Amino acid sequence: GGEADQNLVLLDGFPLYNPFHLGGLFSTFMDATVGSIELLTGAFPSRYGGRLSSVLDVRSAEELRPGVHTTADLSALGATARTAGAFGGGRGTWSVAGRRTYADAVQSVFTDDIFPYHFHDLQGHAAYVLGNGTRISVTAYEGRDVLDANLAEFDADSVKSKSNRGRWAFDWGNQLLGVVIAKDLGERTTIEQRISTSGFSTRLDLGSGASTQRSEVRDVRAAGSLRVRGDVHDGSIGYEIAAQRVRYASGSEQTQTTRFDLTQRPVSGALWVDDLWQLSPRWLLEGGLRAEALSGRSWAALS
């Protein structure tokens, strides 16, 4: 029930700001790359923060069979391919996947009308277990929507276009790179450390650089947790620190002028504790606390 910015969407635990194509008609996630999905529609644990409505955590599929395995999917709108495999005697896995729509290219075979839109996705994932039981995994993603055309090519049935015959372009997309290092300390204790950088950007170019507007957000974050599993209680503690750069700019590349260029660099930090209590074989009770603070606004809160 929340707006797009009120829902936390994660890929292998790393945030994606706008995981949709064409206004939400297509998802960022390719079917062949999805191993599991966890959807929390409310009352999510204290390790999640920054959103009000829900949490969607998508985990990458891992190919456990040795060798190289490839799958492909073709449709009227686009093509998707994934290549994956295992190595090191089953201690490591890897996968690379890509997708692109091609309606903009196919339409030229059947009509002279233009369709100036396409999007693409590229995703990679690799994991390896070291000799001491430490597991290292890496996830990378890049996706882009591109809408560009020459305004003079759009002619009505009876009235010619009155454009200045300049080109315009509008593109937007996500980037993500994250690393996880996890190790089991005995049979019931796990320690995990995460480092990632992710971002989202848009660019609107009118008249081949006559007027350009940019909006972008980029964050670098580190997070860690310690989890202890017991017969009745499953407890965990952790932290998260994120440094963000938010920019909104407008100007003209042709005239080398800037109307405005606004940049903010907030830093946020959080500490959290969570406990999952098995009251009985049929009942679970989960509770937690999350302390957060944001620089530049003298803001802090306890949830």
Side-chain angles (χ1 to χ4, degrees):
E3 298 293 337
D5 60 350
Q6 295 174 343
N7 297 278
L8 178 61
V9 181
L10 305 170
L11 175 59
D12 292 333
F14 306 114
L16 285 175
Y17 280 91
N18 188 18
F20 307 102
H21 294 296
L22 197 58
L25 294 180
F26 297 94
S27 170
T28 287
F29 306 108
M30 296 169 278
D31 292 347
T33 66
V34 177
S36 64
I37 295 176
E38 182 180 13
L39 175 63
L40 305 173
T41 58
F44 33 86
S46 58
R47 65 180 178 273
Y48 299 112
R51 302 297 190 276
L52 297 173
S53 185
S54 70
V55 175
L56 175 65
D57 193 357
V58 179
R59 297 289 171 167
S60 297
E62 296 188 348
E63 178 59 71
L64 302 179
R65 297 175 297 173
V68 178
H69 305 271
T70 301
T71 60
D73 179 26
L74 299 177
S75 70
L77 295 177
T80 304
R82 176 178 182 262
T83 300
F87 63 95
R91 298 174 63 179
T93 66
W94 65 273
S95 66
V96 177
R99 173 175 60 179
R100 191 194 191 278
T101 59
Y102 44 67
D104 57 332
V106 173
Q107 58 81 33
S108 61
V109 178
F110 303 99
T111 177
D112 293 332
D113 295 333
I114 63 172
F115 185 75
Y117 172 79
H118 72 273
F119 68 80
H120 71 265
D121 298 290
L122 296 171
Q123 182 176 335
H125 179 74
Y128 188 77
V129 179
L130 302 177
N132 59 359
T134 301
R135 175 182 170 87
I136 301 176
S137 64
V138 180
T139 300
Y141 170 81
E142 192 272 334
R144 204 78 186 165
D145 291 64
V146 178
L147 178 63
D148 61 352
N150 191 327
L151 296 178
E153 297 176 355
F154 290 93
D155 291 336
D157 293 337
S158 58
V159 180
K160 292 295 183 179
S161 170
K162 300 299 183 182
S163 70
N164 63 359
R165 298 190 178 275
R167 297 193 64 86
W168 61 275
F170 183 36
D171 58 79
W172 62 97
N174 284 282
Q175 307 86 36
L176 166 67
L177 176 63
V179 179
V180 181
I181 302 176
K183 181 176 176 58
D184 291 332
L185 306 177
E187 297 182 355
R188 297 192 173 188
T189 303
T190 301
I191 188 171
E192 183 178 271
Q193 176 63 51
R194 295 173 168 272
I195 301 175
S196 68
T197 176
S198 61
F200 176 77
S201 62
T202 68
R203 181 182 66 92
L204 175 61
D205 184 351
L206 300 176
S208 300
S211 178
T212 304
Q213 294 187 12
R214 299 178 183 273
S215 178
E216 59 187 39
V217 56
R218 169 69 63 179
D219 78 44
V220 177
R221 66 181 58 209
S225 65
L226 175 66
R227 179 181 179 185
V228 180
R229 297 174 294 275
D231 295 332
V232 178
H233 292 275
D234 189 343
S236 57
I237 59 174
Y239 79 95
E240 184 178 56
I241 299 175
Q244 296 181 322
R245 180 180 183 271
V246 184
R247 182 191 180 202
Y248 183 46
S250 177
S252 173
E253 296 179 359
Q254 289 185 359
T255 60
Q256 298 296 312
T257 58
T258 300
R259 284 187 286 271
F260 56 83
D261 193 340
L262 308 176
T263 303
Q264 293 180 323
R265 293 180 172 86
V267 177
S268 62
L271 297 173
W272 55 268
V273 59
D274 189 84
D275 181 60
L276 181 63
W277 181 14
Q278 183 173 343
L279 297 173
S280 71
R282 301 180 63 181
W283 286 93
L284 296 173
L285 177 64
E286 186 168 20
L289 289 174
R290 183 181 180 92
E292 299 175 274
L294 179 66
S295 68
R297 292 295 182 268
S298 300
W299 179 89
L302 181 65
S303 305

